[in-house]
Amino acid sequence: MAARKLLRRAGRDRAGRFLVEGAQAVREALDGARVRELLLTAAAAERHRELVDAAAAAGARISPVTERAAESLSDTVTPQGLVAVCDLLDVPLAEALGERPRLVAVCAGIADPGNAGAVVRVADAAGADAVLLAGDTVDPHNPKAVRASTGSVFHLPLARERDTGAVLDACRSAGLALLVADGHGELDLHDPAAAPVLAGPVAWIFGGEAHGVPDEVAGLADHRVRVPIYGRAESLNLATAAAVCLYASAGERRR
């Protein structure tokens, strides 16, 4: 089955398409992306007749598949028997940033797809204008990333760029201050001095779970901002840190 090739990044990039699994994700895809094909088992077709009708109305091909074929397209323990083939979502960097961005999330070297999807979800919830995936960051079309985003990959612009320097230059050119989330940063997120920085147009840069933002990237930022730890926890996980930082900016903008 050709759709199985879309489980791998090379196959997705070659075809320009990716897989979306599950009723809620397919519903979001029908609202915010071009669905080319809907593959589903007989049981799923019976359960989700409204999605089948919506996909057909959108011009998607409806392809019945066996339970075994549906399982081969899933990386979950309990496949739902419902998979959409969609056009890739990423857009050029300049298009993602638009004319006057106020809040942008940059994923710099995030290898775990669940973490990348979680950052997209948080950025969407905080009202960010875009998510930029720089350097060796995992593909946001990875099935685990799509699932972790809970549909947010369809809600805001995504851009992929291997050249991290080009991403940071584009953010600066768009008028964004560069803030690195760093547990040892010189600026405390809760310090009153941080308020005017957070209230302005900013691009928050988040790195991988284990090593954070690469030093060469952090060195280009305007500020390294730390989330204070008041208890005994060693640190916050990536998704939580991203939520705290992005919401801090969103809150200051609305004061």
Side-chain angles (χ1 to χ4, degrees):
M1 184 184 295
R4 275 199 291 269
K5 296 179 180 179
L6 305 182
L7 291 169
R8 301 180 63 85
R9 182 169 187 163
R12 292 190 293 270
D13 287 343
R14 189 177 302 113
R17 295 177 183 173
F18 74 113
L19 299 179
V20 175
E21 183 186 3
Q24 181 56 34
V26 169
R27 191 173 291 110
E28 296 279 1
L30 285 166
D31 285 341
R34 179 64 187 269
V35 176
R36 297 287 184 171
E37 184 177 9
L38 187 65
L39 303 106
L40 72 173
T41 63
E46 188 66 29
R47 286 194 304 269
H48 303 292
R49 175 54 54 187
E50 81 287 356
L51 292 180
V52 177
D53 293 342
R61 183 170 61 184
I62 309 300
S63 300
V65 296
T66 64
E67 296 283 351
R68 183 173 181 179
E71 288 176 5
S72 75
L73 295 174
S74 173
D75 65 349
T76 64
V77 177
T78 54
Q80 296 186 43
L82 183 71
V83 179
V85 178
C86 303
D87 289 341
L88 294 182
L89 299 169
D90 55 314
V91 299
L93 192 54
E95 182 179 334
L97 285 169
E99 292 186 4
R100 194 173 296 178
R102 298 287 300 176
L103 181 60
V104 169
V106 179
C107 299
I110 297 178
D112 182 87
N115 282 336
V119 172
V120 173
R121 180 181 183 180
V122 167
D124 179 24
D129 298 296
V131 175
L132 313 180
L133 301 111
D136 293 326
T137 292
V138 68
D139 180 11
H141 304 97
N142 178 291
K144 290 181 181 178
V146 174
R147 190 162 59 251
S149 82
T150 63
S152 287
V153 289
F154 301 111
H155 297 167
L156 75 176
L158 307 175
R160 291 187 287 172
E161 174 55 63
R162 297 286 297 181
D163 185 346
T164 303
V167 172
L168 301 187
D169 287 345
C171 288
R172 283 196 193 281
S173 296
L176 298 166
L178 303 180
L179 308 182
V180 164
D182 183 343
H184 304 287
E186 86 285 351
L187 184 61
D188 187 315
L189 188 72
H190 293 167
D191 190 310
V197 176
L198 298 175
V202 299
W204 276 101
I205 305 169
F206 304 106
E209 186 85 52
H211 304 293
V213 176
D215 289 340
E216 63 272 17
V217 176
L220 299 174
D222 296 297
H223 297 283
R224 296 189 187 203
V225 185
R226 70 180 182 277
V227 178
I229 301 293
Y230 298 121
R232 297 174 60 187
E234 180 206 7
S235 62
L236 296 174
N237 65 34
L238 174 58
T240 302
V244 171
C245 293
L246 289 166
Y247 266 92
S249 284
E252 287 296 337
R253 285 173 52 194
R254 286 162 174 76
R255 287 188 191 280

